[in-house]
Amino acid sequence: QVQLVESGGGLVQAGGSLRLSCVASGFTFSRYFMGWFRQVPGKEREFVARISWGGVSTYYADSVKGRFTISRDNAKNTVYLQMSSLKPEDTAVYYCNAVKENYSGTFAWGQGTQVTVSS
């Protein structure tokens, strides 16, 4: 059974930083591109960042490029999202998942972690 458990969210002022973590289980983590997504109430979930199997290749949505950094530790089945220079528009629930070629999620979504950026 696949489980995705996100953590690390919270309330931060604009310009601040947060580091999100996601521990995955129930699938062979190292064989999947992993990514982060976010969702605001009333809107569709959107892609944020993706990292390749070994962590060499990364890709970001234009809205977070230069501010967010995705990384992974295959030994710990964990993917991270370091968020810096946060803006109020980054406020959302953040989710991790294995990423398909069309930048959608592969497995059922976890509970996510709330990030709130105050102005």
Side-chain angles (χ1 to χ4, degrees):
Q1 180 182 356
V2 172
Q3 281 195 314
L4 299 164
V5 181
E6 301 91 348
S7 63
L11 174 63
V12 63
Q13 288 188 334
S17 299
L18 280 175
R19 188 194 195 205
L20 307 183
S21 300
C22 169
V23 179
S25 60
F27 64 100
T28 306
F29 181 81
S30 60
R31 294 184 180 178
Y32 286 83
F33 279 47
M34 292 298 297
W36 286 93
F37 302 77
R38 65 188 182 186
Q39 188 171 25
V40 175
K43 293 189 176 182
E44 289 191 359
R45 198 173 344 241
E46 66 172 357
F47 167 82
V48 173
R50 184 203 72 185
I51 188 166
S52 60
W53 309 286
V56 173
S57 173
T58 57
Y59 182 78
Y60 299 91
D62 287 343
S63 58
V64 306
K65 201 172 296 182
R67 300 188 298 119
F68 290 11
T69 302
I70 187 171
S71 61
R72 67 190 295 164
D73 185 339
N74 287 343
K76 296 181 178 180
N77 283 9
T78 301
V79 60
Y80 305 96
L81 187 67
Q82 178 67 48
M83 306 186 295
S84 302
S85 301
L86 282 161
K87 304 175 181 180
E89 51 262 45
D90 294 318
T91 295
V93 179
Y94 284 72
Y95 303 85
C96 73
N97 209 326
V99 182
K100 295 179 180 179
E101 289 186 356
N102 64 356
Y103 295 95
S104 63
T106 301
F107 302 114
W109 298 97
Q111 84 287 350
T113 187
Q114 174 72 48
V115 172
T116 303
V117 184
S118 63
S119 57

